Amino acid sequence: MLDHMAIEKSYLLTSASPCNGFLHSDAMLDYMHAMDALGMLIFEMLAHGLGLPHDYFSKNFEEKEATMIRINRYPPCPLPSKCLGLGSHSDPHTLTILLQDEVGGLQVLKKDEEWVGIRPLPNSFIINVGDTLEAWSNGRLKSVVHRAVVNKEKQRFSIAYFLSPASDMVVDSPSQLIDQEKTLKDTFLLHGHNSEES
Ligand SMILES: O=C(O)CCC(=O)C(=O)O
Ligand SMILES: [Fe+2]
């Protein structure tokens, strides 16, 4: 079952992570399959909202060799302002489905360059549009810049599932999303933020 999935594990700040048992487990594979299904549903809703055929995005995700999962662990830090949790970045993929625990630490950069904390909500996912989907939608969907900060008391976990189409697929904006105001050139004007992570 693993052969069509690329699994990347990343333990931030430590290599002694209690996540080890989860990797390669049935629970992990079940989780990834559930995220694939949720991702396709979201793609269909986005396509509908953009006036595109319902499978416009989702039909490109048969190949999953570039889709990956990452488990992030952020240990507590006595001097949080001096610690790098996960630095400022946008996700380069299409969609990120992020599950975070109750600790909190995710922040999003608003247009006015202010960082705002994303309060954890029980039983919920955070869905990020990535750079590839921003380009694919000719800039209609925005890839958001975000980071994760740490705190003094509690360790924090998050699980990020990054959906990607086949790695050799040419991402081309549909003609329905190109007009006088949104010329195709805009597609390539992705914000210059660093996508060093993910
Ligand atoms: O841990 C978080 O809340 C953010 C994780 C993230 O942005 C990532 O893994 O790309
Ligand atoms: Fe991210």
Side-chain angles (χ1 to χ4, degrees), residues 131-143:
D131 299 341
T132 305
L133 188 54
E134 178 168 336
W136 207 354
S137 68
N138 200 24
R140 305 288 169 117
L141 304 170
K142 299 288 181 205
S143 172

Side-chain angles (χ1 to χ4, degrees), residues 25-36:
S25 67
D26 285 350
M28 171 79 139
L29 289 173
D30 287 350
Y31 185 80
M32 293 168 86
H33 289 140
M35 292 304 101
D36 282 333

Side-chain angles (χ1 to χ4, degrees), residues 31-45:
Y31 185 80
M32 293 168 86
H33 289 140
M35 292 304 101
D36 282 333
L38 177 61
M40 294 312 113
L41 195 64
I42 294 168
F43 275 126
E44 292 194 0
M45 290 163 70

Side-chain angles (χ1 to χ4, degrees), residues 8 14 37 40 45 57 61 86 89 96-97 102-103 106 121 126 140 143 146 153 167 193 195-196:
E8 183 199 84
T14 177
M40 294 312 113
M45 290 163 70
F57 299 117
F61 288 81
L86 186 54
H89 68 283
T96 306
I97 306 178
E102 73 294 343
V103 176
L106 176 63
L121 287 178
I126 291 158
R140 305 288 169 117
S143 172
H146 54 284
E153 284 92 29
S167 48
H193 288 279
S195 290
E196 85 278 30

Side-chain angles (χ1 to χ4, degrees), residues 70 72 86-87 89-92 96 98 106 128 144 146-147 160 162 197-198:
R70 181 162 67 198
N72 300 308
L86 186 54
H89 68 283
S90 58
D91 295 339
T96 306
L98 183 77
L106 176 63
N128 275 347
V144 72
H146 54 284
R147 68 181 183 186
F162 304 102
E197 296 296 337
S198 310

Side-chain angles (χ1 to χ4, degrees), residues 15 26 56 83 154:
S15 59
D26 285 350
Y56 188 84
C83 286
K154 284 192 167 175

